[in-house]
Amino acid sequence: QDRVWGRTPASQRARYVYRIAEVIEERVRELAVLEALATGTPVRRTREVDVPQAAATFFSYAGWADKLAYAGLGSDPRPAGVAGQILPSDRPLLALARQVAPALACGTTVVVKPAGTAPLAALRFAEICQQVDLPPGVLNVVTGGDATGAAVAGHPGVDTVSVTGPAEVVRRVAAAVAGTRTRLRAEPGGPVPLLVFDDAPLGEAVEAVVDGTVQPHYGVASHLLVQESVHDEVVAAVTRRMARLRVGDPLDANSDLGPVRTAARLRQVRELVTGAEADGVRRWSPPCELPDRGYWCPPTVLTGVTPAHRVAHAPVPGPVLPVLTFRTTDEAVATANGSRYGPAAAVWSGDGSRVLAVAGRLRAGTVWASTSHRSDPTVPGGGSTQYGGPGRHRHGLEAYLAV
């Protein structure tokens, strides 16, 4: 860190980061297949969304490398040493990009610990770094399970730990660094409330809701909050759309929904759904033929959910959509703010002033207006409440700088 990367001129660091972005674009098909194999996400989405967004993230931070003094983080920012980065199993390449790109731009060396069930993206990324002749030791990948992550987080040579993943993983990492000099940047997953008002463009809302349900963002589940007067119409449209989804091999470009990643995750989904049914929640799933091998969950809609139900607050790591109702704007905001995570939220309404008013009252790091699950590396992002988030745009630089 001190001998090589921290002393590399910022303009040279920018060229390395930019070249990494170019290689990701050149190898988009290969990386998209690896992502599909590792996560079960249909290859069409990894090829068109996940991998291009990862490349865009590196392009964006390449532009910041020689402009750190103008990022509003102090007049003489310096690299913060060594960063340990613990990645999730959902969208692993994009998660890696959001953590590694700002670190490299800042002159910080990194030790990446990918999820034990999804290490392929990080290993292939290490090969890309070799291809662009990144100096040895600047980017390091160590694979393994929880013990490996604990070793990275607790190592005395690590100055900053950045972790993205389930809340229980984040809590363990936070406990490991408590009382030490190590800084923590945490991004735990949590449910995303999608608020649909009665004057919303319902067709667009339904498409976005279904998309956010079958393709969880970072494993962040969607919860639908719909105004009572249009509840039946919206639920009917959602179920019609879900009934047309094609469930199958993620490497098939025609598939809309792939498998759940692990047996443990499938058990968690089933326990939450059966527990909700036992509490009086109504379950709907389309009649569909599931493959014989693998961990498969059909798209599912849960109606009759109230804030008292566990499924109303717990992130469901699968294609399951709990539906809650509200009558007034105040009730909608109170329900949406009931989560202790606050990663993001979405508001659908035909009234622009209502969208802005509701967005200003939501405790969420990102609020989408009449869309959802969209991201751009040039737009600030992060979280609220327990969802601190490493941030994006210039805010993502702060964790890797001593200011």
Side-chain angles (χ1 to χ4, degrees), residues 44-71:
R44 183 177 70 246
R45 185 179 183 90
T46 61
R47 184 179 63 243
E48 296 176 359
V49 179
D50 294 356
V51 178
Q53 282 191 359
T57 299
F58 277 96
F59 278 126
S60 178
Y61 281 111
W64 278 108
D66 59 354
K67 304 174 185 67
L68 299 177
Y70 307 100

Side-chain angles (χ1 to χ4, degrees), residues 21 41 45 65 83 124 126 156 166 220 244 256 266 294 296 298 359 378 388 403:
T41 302
R45 185 179 183 90
R124 191 53 51 93
V220 176
R244 295 197 299 269
D256 298 306
L266 182 59
W296 298 90
T378 64
V403 295

Side-chain angles (χ1 to χ4, degrees), residues 3-299:
R3 294 192 304 271
V4 179
W5 194 239
R7 295 185 179 183
T8 301
S11 58
Q12 183 66 24
R13 294 201 304 267
R15 282 194 285 271
Y16 278 117
V17 178
Y18 193 91
R19 180 57 184 147
I20 288 172
E22 289 184 319
V23 175
I24 290 175
E25 282 196 329
E26 293 166 4
R27 300 171 68 169
V28 62
R29 295 178 65 87
E30 170 194 4
L31 293 170
V33 170
L34 285 179
E35 288 284 274
L37 286 171
T39 67
T41 302
V43 70
R44 183 177 70 246
R45 185 179 183 90
T46 61
R47 184 179 63 243
E48 296 176 359
V49 179
D50 294 356
V51 178
Q53 282 191 359
T57 299
F58 277 96
F59 278 126
S60 178
Y61 281 111
W64 278 108
D66 59 354
K67 304 174 185 67
L68 299 177
Y70 307 100
L73 302 173
S75 59
D76 185 28
R78 302 178 305 281
V82 179
Q85 301 177 336
I86 300 173
L87 304 182
S89 54
D90 297 279
R91 305 180 81 179
L93 182 63
L94 181 57
L96 179 149
R98 287 174 172 171
Q99 297 192 36
V100 171
L104 295 184
C106 291
T108 297
T109 56
V110 295
V111 179
V112 175
K113 207 294 283 186
T117 58
L120 298 180
L123 292 172
R124 191 53 51 93
F125 179 77
E127 295 179 5
I128 290 174
C129 290
Q130 290 178 321
Q131 180 179 339
V132 304
D133 294 324
L134 193 71
V138 174
L139 184 284
N140 311 273
V141 176
V142 291
T143 59
D146 293 344
T148 306
V152 171
H155 196 285
V158 171
D159 301 280
T160 300
V161 173
S162 179
V163 54
T164 302
E168 59 271 18
V169 173
V170 173
R171 283 194 290 267
R172 288 200 297 266
V173 173
V177 303
T180 71
R181 65 176 182 83
T182 305
R183 296 191 295 177
L184 175 66
R185 297 296 293 170
E187 187 177 7
V192 173
L194 312 175
L195 283 66
V196 177
F197 287 86
D198 57 7
D199 61 347
L202 297 184
E204 297 175 16
V206 166
E207 285 296 319
V209 167
V210 172
D211 181 66
T213 302
V214 300
Q215 304 294 346
H217 179 73
Y218 268 155
V220 176
S222 300
H223 288 183
L224 175 60
L225 279 63
V226 60
Q227 198 152 19
E228 198 172 81
S229 58
V230 292
H231 169 271
D232 293 348
E233 180 181 356
V234 170
V235 170
V238 168
T239 55
R240 283 197 303 270
R241 180 66 183 88
M242 283 191 174
R244 295 197 299 269
L245 295 175
R246 179 171 177 175
V247 181
D249 184 353
L251 295 184
D252 184 342
N254 294 316
S255 294
D256 298 306
L257 177 63
V260 177
R261 184 169 307 103
T262 63
R265 178 169 284 199
L266 182 59
R267 283 195 301 271
Q268 183 182 356
V269 173
R270 288 175 173 171
E271 287 171 1
L272 285 167
V273 172
T274 55
E277 286 186 290
D279 290 335
V281 171
R282 296 178 297 278
R283 171 185 178 175
W284 175 90
S285 293
C288 60
E289 184 176 348
L290 299 178
D292 295 331
R293 299 181 59 188
Y295 309 115
W296 298 90
C297 177

Side-chain angles (χ1 to χ4, degrees), residues 167 171 188 190-191 313-315 336-343 363 384-387:
R171 283 194 290 267
H313 305 285
N337 286 343
S339 169
R340 63 182 184 272
Y341 301 104
R363 293 198 298 268
S384 66
T385 61
Q386 290 190 10
Y387 196 102

